[in-house]
Amino acid sequence: MGFDVNRFRGEVDEELICPICSGVLEDPVQVSNVLQAPVCEHAFCRICINEWINRQPTCPLDRTPITSAQLRAVPRILRNLLARLCISCDNILFGCQAVVNLDGLISHLEECEYNPKRPVPCEQGCSLVIPKDELKDHNCVRELRNLIQSQQQKLMEMKKELGEQQFQINEQRREIHLLKDFMRAMRVSNPAMRAIADQMERDEVMRWSATLPRAKVTRWGGMISTPDDSLQSMIKRALSEHNCPPHIIEELMKNCHERKWPPGLNSLETRQNSRRQYENYVCKRVPGKQAVLVLHCDNTHMPEDMMVEPGLVMIFAHGIE
């Protein structure tokens, strides 16, 4: 629907009037040239012409067949003429005497102090932002109670959705475990399947390794060669939380102690002799912990006396970036 003509200062050209609602054009469009039909370029309010076309698909002025798909924005010159018109504020009945250009009406209404729907903060204690005309009936306790109930409802819906997602994840994990159990059984009974299963497990480790961030060890001297049980449990939990393949997690945790390290690392003396080779390790960060993974799949370039399958877990007191 167009703007009431009586709100404008001065004369309004007939070309700026919507033929349907007889108001000044609002969001104006015109009917473009139609193939195999006479030219029709009459301008209308967008809402007015769409409602008209829904009832009868012809131009209300010359009865040319038209569709909504043939509506286009009016030329810039017409938009400029509309923008320069001076219109009184929507809130004139509430005391606003402002007269603004039509293209500035929206921004004025957002800031108009007479706008009954202008959002304002409650000054009675709850600080909720509400429409100005609702202040007189506003009750802080009631509104806060409604807000809490609304948030509780949303929380319940989120918990339900998370529960459904967790159920789906658990089902997928169960199916994966069943598949792995099947593959392990086939590996025992069928040499060919054994090779396939081994390759699948190696591929799984490589995919997991690709999801971990690279790490740089700046102080190899901070390495903890004999971590206690609580420290090992913390690292194991972190690996599990970040989807470490179950078939290697126990081996990795055994390999975090120097007694399981390869010959080049299994004593203080050999570690000191091998320090020049440390920088060649490709290390992956154990997320959130002062520990790195040195996986065999990432370090095939390293000498045999510096690597073990499926890899090493190195825990540090400091010195990791």
Side-chain angles (χ1 to χ4, degrees):
M1 297 293 290
F3 299 98
D4 184 352
V5 176
N6 295 323
R7 290 179 55 189
F8 291 84
R9 298 294 175 88
E11 294 293 327
V12 178
D13 194 287
E14 290 185 3
E15 296 297 323
L16 305 180
I17 303 296
C18 173
I20 298 175
C21 69
S22 298
V24 175
L25 292 167
E26 182 176 5
D27 190 13
V29 292
Q30 66 177 184
V31 184
S32 64
N33 291 356
V34 184
L35 295 177
Q36 300 177 345
V39 174
C40 176
E41 295 184 339
H42 299 121
F44 309 92
C45 300
R46 186 183 296 275
I47 292 178
C48 294
I49 190 60
N50 278 322
E51 290 179 352
W52 180 280
I53 291 174
N54 288 336
R55 295 194 300 269
Q56 47 185 327
T58 59
C59 172
L61 296 181
D62 58 20
R63 304 305 174 187
T64 300
I66 58 175
T67 67
S68 295
Q70 294 162 350
L71 300 178
R72 300 289 184 271
V74 297
R76 179 178 297 177
I77 186 172
L78 187 58
R79 296 198 302 270
N80 290 342
L81 289 173
L82 285 166
R84 296 191 187 105
L85 293 177
C86 294
I87 185 173
S88 58
C89 176
D90 292 18
N91 303 313
I92 189 171
L93 295 179
F94 301 99
C96 183
Q97 300 299 315
V99 176
V100 298
N101 288 341
L102 186 57
D103 64 344
L105 179 62
I106 294 178
S107 60
H108 168 75
L109 291 175
E110 291 176 350
E111 301 176 359
C112 180
E113 62 179 308
Y114 296 94
N115 182 1
K117 295 298 181 183
R118 182 167 63 92
V120 294
C122 170
E123 298 179 353
Q124 300 176 30
C126 71
S127 298
L128 292 176
V129 178
I130 56 177
K132 182 180 178 182
D133 61 347
E134 296 180 15
L135 273 177
K136 62 181 182 299
D137 298 320
H138 175 68
N139 182 295
C140 294
V141 175
R142 182 185 65 232
E143 294 300 328
L144 288 173
R145 184 183 295 118
N146 291 339
L147 180 62
I148 292 172
Q149 291 175 349
S150 174
Q151 294 301 318
Q152 288 176 336
Q153 181 64 31
K154 289 180 180 178
L155 183 60
M156 291 175 60
E157 292 174 357
M158 289 175 62
K159 286 182 176 179
K160 181 180 178 181
E161 184 178 349
L162 287 173
E164 293 173 351
Q165 292 176 354
Q166 187 61 51
F167 175 78
Q168 295 176 359
I169 291 172
N170 291 339
E171 284 296 298
Q172 291 173 354
R173 285 177 176 172
R174 187 179 66 84
E175 293 175 2
I176 291 172
H177 289 156
L178 287 174
L179 177 60
K180 288 181 177 179
D181 290 342
F182 172 76
M183 295 299 295
R184 278 193 288 268
M186 292 298 293
R187 182 190 303 171
V188 173
S189 61
N190 188 325
M193 288 299 297
R194 186 182 309 160
I196 294 174
D198 288 343
Q199 185 60 49
M200 288 179 63
E201 289 184 348
R202 286 193 294 270
D203 291 345
E204 185 181 8
V205 174
M206 292 179 67
R207 286 193 296 271
W208 177 63
S209 175
T211 67
L212 300 174
R214 289 287 295 267
K216 181 181 180 182
V217 179
T218 57
R219 296 185 63 182
W220 288 96
M223 191 187 308
I224 301 174
S225 57
T226 56
D228 57 30
D229 291 342
S230 61
L231 188 54
Q232 291 189 55
S233 296
M234 180 179 64
I235 299 300
K236 181 178 179 179
R237 185 165 56 250
L239 293 176
S240 179
E241 290 173 351
H242 288 84
N243 304 314
C244 177
H247 68 275
I248 67 166
I249 193 166
E250 293 298 336
E251 291 182 81
L252 285 175
M253 292 317 303
K254 291 178 183 177
N255 292 348
C256 73
H257 196 287
E258 70 174 6
R259 63 175 173 264
K260 287 290 186 176
W261 286 353
L265 296 175
N266 63 6
S267 71
L268 180 59
E269 182 180 358
T270 55
R271 286 197 292 276
Q272 289 175 342
N273 293 335
S274 302
R275 288 178 67 87
R276 65 184 183 279
Q277 299 195 58
Y278 290 167
E279 293 299 325
N280 296 326
Y281 277 133
V282 175
C283 301
K284 297 297 181 66
R285 185 73 179 264
V286 176
K289 306 298 178 185
Q290 283 286 103
V292 299
L293 286 163
V294 182
L295 294 170
H296 188 276
C297 63
D298 295 328
N299 290 276
T300 55
H301 59 284
M302 294 297 291
E304 290 186 5
D305 66 341
M306 297 293 290
M307 276 304 304
V308 293
E309 284 274 13
L312 300 167
V313 176
M314 296 181 177
I315 305 172
F316 291 83
H318 44 66
I320 296 179
E321 293 180 358

